[in-house]
Amino acid sequence: MHTHFMDKLRNYDISFSGLKTGKHEFKFEIDKTFFQLFDTDQEFTNPKIAVDVLLDKHTTFLEFEIKTHGTVELICDITNEAFDHPIENEIKVLVKFGEEYDDSEEDVITIPTTDHAFNVAHLIYENVVLSIPMKKLSPNVSEEDLKILDQFSPKDIEETEEEEHESDPRWDALKKLKDKN
């Protein structure tokens, strides 16, 4: 990665080494320049997003809560008109220390013990991208348009399969295990 990119991302470093244990708050304002740091095509334009990062520092680990709220501009799948879509999402991540960086565990990121800062840029990025709906429908779409769309949409096949599973005792046993966690 070129250094210019790294420098820009460094704005989203939260250096925790000098902080006391307890809660700390950080705020970021996100616009299109933030998303240009990532080498991906966005399905939205004109993002105006506020990010609140809450850090709860413990002696052996860090807890991050990242809240995003604002708007992005989407293009309606039916009318092709641009409309503002509200973004509101929240993710919690546990950051612990280990030999090397590892994010293979869900909601847990391990960073090297030698690190003094944690970069939240990717988490903010994911938080926003996950808020973008699969179907982009402008609030101005008429009921008739939606009915037509529904007629030509593939029907959910999964629903009928699930009904069949419900009578299967093996699935019930698995569900009980899953519910315990």
Side-chain angles (χ1 to χ4, degrees):
M1 275 190 242
H2 47 91
T3 51
H4 178 66
F5 172 75
M6 295 305 286
D7 287 345
K8 290 271 200 244
L9 275 184
R10 206 157 280 140
N11 297 336
Y12 304 95
D13 273 359
I14 290 181
S15 50
F16 51 80
S17 58
L19 299 174
K20 294 187 172 86
T21 52
K23 291 181 165 51
H24 305 272
E25 205 170 325
F26 304 87
K27 290 185 182 302
F28 300 98
E29 293 291 325
I30 302 293
D31 58 18
K32 70 173 193 281
T33 51
F34 171 78
F35 291 97
Q36 286 163 354
L37 297 174
F38 296 87
D39 224 10
T40 52
D41 289 332
Q42 270 81 45
E43 294 184 48
F44 55 84
T45 51
N46 201 16
K48 294 187 181 97
I49 297 164
V51 183
D52 291 320
V53 178
L54 300 169
L55 161 61
D56 196 351
K57 184 181 177 183
H58 301 263
T59 43
T60 55
F61 65 95
L62 311 166
E63 271 179 292
F64 282 94
E65 190 175 309
I66 297 168
K67 295 178 178 176
T68 48
H69 54 93
T71 58
V72 294
E73 199 172 88
L74 299 178
I75 301 295
C76 177
D77 291 339
I78 297 176
T79 62
N80 259 353
E81 69 172 329
F83 68 98
D84 277 347
H85 178 75
I87 291 289
E88 199 164 333
N89 206 354
E90 179 182 324
I91 48 177
K92 291 183 164 98
V93 175
L94 197 69
V95 175
K96 55 185 195 177
F97 300 95
E99 298 276 311
E100 56 190 33
Y101 184 89
D102 177 15
D103 61 0
S104 57
E105 243 181 292
E106 198 179 341
D107 304 332
V108 178
I109 295 175
T110 303
I111 61 173
T113 327
T114 52
D115 281 13
H116 301 291
F118 179 69
N119 190 290
V120 291
H122 276 281
L123 293 173
I124 293 170
Y125 178 81
E126 277 176 35
N127 213 344
V128 173
V129 172
L130 291 173
S131 306
I132 306 298
M134 294 293 284
K135 279 185 183 168
K136 295 163 193 63
L137 298 177
S138 159
N140 304 333
V141 171
S142 70
E143 284 298 315
E144 286 136 50
D145 286 341
L146 289 174
K147 279 186 187 132
I148 293 166
L149 184 72
D150 198 44
Q151 280 176 325
F152 295 100
S153 293
K155 297 293 168 259
D156 290 341
I157 301 163
E158 293 164 17
E159 286 175 26
T160 52
E161 286 177 12
E162 274 181 30
E163 286 165 21
E164 291 165 22
H165 288 321
E166 279 174 22
S167 58
D168 189 332
R170 291 171 298 183
W171 286 109
D172 295 340
L174 280 172
K175 271 189 188 147
K176 278 182 197 149
L177 279 173
K178 188 177 161 199
D179 292 342
K180 278 183 186 169
N181 296 338

